[in-house]
Amino acid sequence: MLNWATFSVLLAVVVIMLGAWTRLVDAGLGCPDWPGCYGFLTVPQSDSHVAIANARFPDTPVDVAKGWPEMIHRYAAGTLGLVVFGLAVSAVRQRRSGVPFKLPLFIAGFILLQGAFGMWTVTLKLWPQVVALHLLGGFTTLSLLTLWVLRLRKFSADQVAAAATTPAASAKPSELGASLAGFRPWLFGGLLLIIMQIALGAWTAANYAAVACTDLPTCQGQWWPEGMDFQHGFDITQHVGPNYLGGQLTADGRVAIHVTHRAGALVVLAYFSVLLVLIWRRNNNRELHGPIRLVAAALAAQVALGIANVLFYIPLPVAVAHNAMGAGLLLSVIYLIWRHHQLQPQAETATHTTAMKQEVTA
């Protein structure tokens, strides 16, 4: 089951990248219906099928080049759903052996909701609110699957330790110290910042604001562009109805979104630069050095990709990689928090044992 759960995480990353690719090539409405494409299971290509499709949807003639990215994304998402449903069923069947099953059941239910958002993305013609929530739902699905993999790995390790004839290696508690344990709320604060930045990125993508600023470090030659319309840019009451392909916001609104996303990136960079250095210095036993390096590498790569997006005017490979690395940064922070959390009980045990020894010797 662990191998299949790991596969589901990798497939979720692929689905996120395919979603970014579909959006970046303006294929979000490559098929005007859902779940099929012009009423077919695949993109219509023969002359007869194209004629039928055009008769069904006269306002949106068939564009094969845009239909296939949309359908490939749907096929991948559907495959992910089937894999997760199969894993959830398997986990329920093995629940008596201690396999965690509540989380995969929740993920399976969440994927149904995510599928509904995928449908609404098409039927509501790329309404920004739905598109942004659909993007966030993809990241949420990936995060939940990663947490499940971590729990399965811990379950497997605990089983191996229980079957061993000698005490497990964890019998030697790690001395984290109160100072390192105190970083927990700051780590969760950093996770919240990452989620907020991803939400800003989703809103930027949903409103086609990525190209609102084409220079760095300024935007349109100004540090704080005049005329930015934050109220318009972050208006979540946009009415349903228009075709939002290409966006409906004014230039001033899109600039406001883009500048906010940049500012958020700077906040995340400064926050984690300080936090990671402090944790590194306090982590005397180096249990967290690997996860810290992972977060630092993902953060540096994400910032570099964001800069490249602006300098090279959103090249498709870089833009897709920027989306994928956003997921990578999120998962690396989750992994750091997980490792930190796993060390806490050991630290508490070590402190309690030390206190008992002091009482005995007193």
Side-chain angles (χ1 to χ4, degrees):
M1 181 180 294
L2 178 58
N3 291 336
W4 276 102
T6 303
F7 171 74
S8 71
V9 171
L10 298 177
L11 183 55
V13 173
V14 172
V15 171
I16 289 175
M17 294 177 68
L18 287 174
W21 172 52
T22 301
R23 185 175 64 257
L24 289 164
V25 297
D26 293 329
L29 295 178
C31 297
D33 53 337
W34 190 95
C37 188
Y38 292 90
F40 298 95
L41 292 177
T42 63
V43 181
Q45 296 189 130
S46 67
D47 292 340
S48 60
H49 285 178
V50 170
I52 294 172
N54 288 335
R56 288 172 175 170
F57 299 91
D59 295 332
T60 53
V62 175
D63 187 340
V64 176
K66 291 187 177 181
W68 275 116
E70 172 68 6
M71 288 308 295
I72 291 172
H73 175 54
R74 293 184 190 180
Y75 295 148
T79 302
L80 175 62
L82 292 175
V83 171
V84 171
F85 293 146
L87 286 169
V89 171
S90 179
V92 170
R93 289 180 175 177
Q94 300 180 49
R95 65 185 184 280
R96 293 186 178 179
S97 64
V99 173
F101 69 95
K102 292 183 180 179
L103 182 56
L105 282 177
F106 178 80
I107 298 172
F110 188 84
I111 281 185
L112 290 176
L113 177 62
Q114 181 70 349
F117 273 105
M119 176 187 67
W120 294 328
T121 296
V122 176
T123 58
L124 298 180
K125 300 179 181 179
L126 303 181
W127 193 39
Q129 286 84 329
V130 169
V131 173
L133 288 174
H134 187 48
L135 293 174
L136 287 174
F139 280 84
T140 301
T141 302
L142 175 61
S143 301
L144 293 174
L145 286 171
T146 301
L147 284 174
W148 190 38
V149 168
L150 292 173
R151 291 187 63 183
L152 285 174
R153 288 179 60 184
K154 183 177 184 299
F155 172 73
S156 299
D158 290 345
Q159 281 191 318
V160 172
T165 56
T166 57
S170 60
K172 297 180 180 179
S174 170
E175 297 179 359
L176 281 175
S179 59
L180 188 55
F183 281 108
R184 178 180 292 185
W186 296 101
L187 285 169
F188 279 105
L191 178 62
L192 179 61
L193 282 178
I194 293 292
I195 293 172
M196 292 174 62
Q197 182 64 6
I198 290 174
L200 279 173
W203 190 248
T204 301
N207 288 281
Y208 300 86
V211 294
C213 302
T214 57
D215 53 323
L216 275 173
T218 57
C219 175
Q220 299 182 357
Q222 305 175 66
W223 290 102
W224 191 257
E226 297 179 0
M228 286 190 295
D229 192 342
F230 289 93
Q231 183 175 359
H232 179 61
F234 292 93
D235 180 13
I236 60 174
T237 63
Q238 300 177 48
H239 62 283
V240 179
N243 186 327
Y244 283 94
L245 183 64
Q248 293 284 331
L249 295 183
T250 64
D252 291 339
R254 298 188 198 196
V255 170
I257 296 172
H258 188 109
V259 169
T260 304
H261 186 49
R262 282 193 190 183
L266 292 175
V267 171
V268 169
L269 179 61
Y271 185 94
F272 274 97
S273 296
V274 174
L275 181 61
L276 294 180
V277 169
L278 291 176
I279 297 177
W280 182 281
R281 289 181 176 178
R282 302 285 179 86
N283 185 29
N284 297 326
N285 292 339
R286 302 184 179 182
E287 292 94 341
L288 298 180
H289 279 187
I292 290 172
R293 290 191 186 100
L294 189 62
V295 174
L299 182 60
Q302 182 67 342
V303 171
L305 288 168
I307 293 173
N309 261 335
V310 175
L311 294 180
F312 300 108
Y313 200 72
I314 318 296
L316 183 59
V318 175
V320 172
H322 187 56
N323 280 263
M325 190 51 64
L329 178 58
L330 174 64
L331 296 189
S332 64
V333 172
I334 290 174
Y335 180 63
L336 174 59
I337 293 174
W338 172 267
R339 291 289 297 122
H340 181 269
H341 175 71
Q342 293 304 307
L343 292 171
Q344 295 311 299
Q346 298 180 13
E348 292 170 3
T349 301
T351 304
H352 180 66
T353 302
T354 302
M356 289 182 62
K357 288 182 178 179
Q358 290 177 348
E359 290 178 3
V360 171
T361 56

